Amino acid sequence: MAKTLIWSYIDASNDWHTNCNVKIIILLKELELKRSLKVLTVMLMMIMCIPGLFANGQKEDDGKIVVGFSQIGAESAWRVANTESIQSEAAKRSNIVLKFSDAQQKQENQIKAIRTFIAQGVDVIAFSPVVETGFEAVLKEAKEAGIPVILTDRAVDVADDSLWVTFMGSDFVEEGRKAARWLIEKGLTDVNIVELQGTVGSAPAIDRKTGFEEVIKSQPGMKIIKTQSGDFTRSGGKEVMEAFLKAEGDNINVLFAHNDDMAIGAIQAIEEYGLIPGKDIIIVSIDAVRGAFEAMVAGKLNVTVECSPLLGPQLFDAAEALMRGEKIPKRIVTKEDVFPMEVAAKVIDSRAY
Ligand code: GZL
């Protein structure tokens, strides 16, 4: 029985595809002559022609490295600075082509963007996962497509850590510890604390809380009396702080905010309530964005723990190393400092974000 085989080739857009189509035509000729070649072999040849299926992260034909980046959104000044670092660094490097997508803080948009990058056959995928879980399936697809994945800023919680090549970003647990240690060093060990948590389920929110609680558990007088997520945004910080003040008012001695944007929103709520931020309520925050330095210069914020968003250079160094076939460390930790109110006026003009 004659076997009918329909071969639809992708295109002849470059040498790679033309070459592949020629191979198939020769094969089909042989098949006609011999009539014995197993269809399976032909199928295998066709599968081999699917672009990116066996890509081992080779550079694109024109020698450029195509990096697909899925960004969380623009929820905070930190995120805006992180995006600026990545886009400006890519623009500086003539060997990098950046495909950038903004997920508007929705996990489904990040998953969609990663699937698009896979279909486009990019050389490297990088992203900052909005939450820790729910990325396993799409990371498996990237691995099957032979595309390496770099985690920037935030980590994912997956059973198989071969699904990502490296995680570069801050140690959020240590940032939480630093915030708590500062309070203890200042003798603020008999205080009622309210906590503005970051995005529920995100690595920074989970880890900063862990680090903060790990340190204060040695101080029975330090109590977290209210804790709720403000989703890392100024508006979220203001709304939740208003609720805290309504419920606890003058009973609040300290605010621990997982990021500066929520702290700045909370400062507004504290002033509207009639208390003095930075004095009636001591405020400890994380990120060290410019707005935090401005608040410290104004005496409204007491300390910010640095969490650098300037990951662009490290990201593209890692992508280039991968394309050279070099091994890169599984974990690249960003170096960071603590900035109390007293130094704010001196350093604010030297800050890069
Ligand atoms: C931390 C980063 C957090 C910042 C927030 O690395 O993921 O997300 O602390 C940002 O300001 O929204």
Side-chain angles (χ1 to χ4, degrees):
M1 184 211 25
K3 287 182 174 50
T4 315
L5 177 74
I6 298 163
W7 162 247
S8 76
Y9 69 89
I10 293 112
D11 60 21
S13 60
N14 59 36
D15 301 350
W16 192 84
H17 287 149
T18 313
N19 184 356
C20 178
N21 299 322
V22 168
K23 272 186 218 148
I24 292 287
I25 292 163
I26 292 168
L27 196 68
L28 289 171
K29 285 273 166 275
E30 280 174 8
L31 187 63
E32 265 163 35
L33 294 174
K34 290 183 192 149
R35 284 193 177 289
S36 60
L37 202 58
K38 291 266 175 297
V39 174
L40 189 61
T41 316
V42 180
M43 292 300 285
L44 277 178
M45 281 300 294
M46 287 168 69
I47 289 168
M48 291 293 283
C49 281
I50 296 171
L53 191 62
F54 297 102
N56 54 8
Q58 291 308 314
K59 286 187 177 180
E60 274 220 330
D61 303 338
D62 57 3
K64 291 188 185 286
I65 301 170
V66 182
V67 177
F69 187 87
S70 167
Q71 178 60 291
I72 289 178
E75 74 281 1
S76 63
W78 190 99
R79 188 65 54 202
V80 171
N82 180 243
T83 291
E84 203 286 325
S85 172
I86 289 162
Q87 292 181 330
S88 62
E89 188 62 27
K92 278 184 211 154
R93 300 189 189 205
S94 58
N95 64 327
I96 295 284
V97 173
L98 176 65
K99 291 179 183 287
F100 184 92
S101 121
D102 176 332
Q104 274 123 34
Q105 280 191 278
K106 292 188 176 64
Q107 179 173 37
E108 63 269 23
N109 291 345
Q110 289 204 291
I111 292 170
K112 246 185 259 163
I114 293 170
R115 287 213 164 102
T116 303
F117 296 147
I118 293 169
Q120 290 168 336
V122 299
D123 296 305
V124 177
I125 289 171
F127 76 119
S128 172
V130 61
V131 291
E132 286 190 339
T133 55
F135 287 103
E136 196 120 19
V138 73
L139 292 180
K140 281 191 179 136
E141 291 165 31
K143 185 176 179 183
E144 278 148 26
I147 301 175
V149 174
I150 294 176
L151 300 176
T152 71
D153 167 31
R154 298 183 184 180
V156 285
D157 179 6
V158 290
D160 174 6
D161 70 4
S162 74
L163 295 178
W164 48 273
V165 174
T166 185
F167 162 41
M168 57 180 67
S170 308
D171 178 344
F172 302 133
V173 177
E174 184 56 20
E175 290 171 351
R177 294 192 192 105
K178 286 178 182 175
R181 283 190 207 119
W182 183 85
L183 289 168
I184 294 170
E185 282 154 19
K186 292 291 169 194
L188 296 162
T189 53
D190 189 10
V191 289
N192 291 328
I193 302 163
V194 292
E195 178 185 26
L196 283 170
Q197 293 187 39
T199 302
V200 176
S202 69
I206 293 166
D207 292 353
R208 284 169 184 167
K209 183 170 186 57
T210 301
F212 188 84
E213 289 178 344
E214 181 193 291
V215 171
I216 68 166
K217 70 172 187 286
S218 63
Q219 301 290 335
M222 297 179 84
K223 294 185 210 61
I224 297 178
I225 57 171
K226 287 275 180 210
T227 181
Q228 192 179 327
S229 174
D231 207 18
F232 282 133
T233 64
R234 287 193 182 195
S235 57
K238 183 169 189 285
E239 272 155 46
V240 175
M241 192 66 201
E242 282 164 353
F244 287 166
L245 288 162
K246 200 154 166 261
E248 296 290 346
D250 299 354
N251 195 24
I252 300 169
N253 310 117
V254 169
L255 162 63
F256 167 46
H258 287 191
N259 84 328
D260 294 334
D261 282 68
M262 293 191 292
I264 292 164
I267 285 168
Q268 225 182 325
I270 294 167
E271 289 177 321
E272 286 169 6
Y273 183 80
L275 292 174
I276 305 171
K279 286 191 178 53
D280 298 333
I281 296 180
I282 299 296
I283 305 176
V284 184
S285 182
I286 298 175
D287 275 353
V289 296
R290 187 168 191 84
F293 284 86
E294 288 161 353
M296 287 195 285
V297 168
K300 298 179 181 179
L301 178 71
N302 299 86
V303 60
T304 182
V305 175
E306 187 178 31
C307 172
S308 175
L310 307 179
L311 297 172
Q314 279 176 314
L315 168 57
F316 296 113
D317 286 349
E320 288 169 357
L322 280 173
M323 290 302 109
R324 289 192 299 266
E326 291 169 17
K327 247 187 105 41
I328 55 177
K330 196 74 179 167
R331 179 76 175 92
I332 304 170
V333 184
T334 345
K335 306 252 171 312
E336 293 160 343
D337 215 328
V338 177
F339 295 94
M341 185 193 278
E342 299 73 28
V343 304
K346 238 187 350 269
V347 303
I348 188 167
D349 291 339
S350 65
R351 295 293 299 161
Y353 64 96

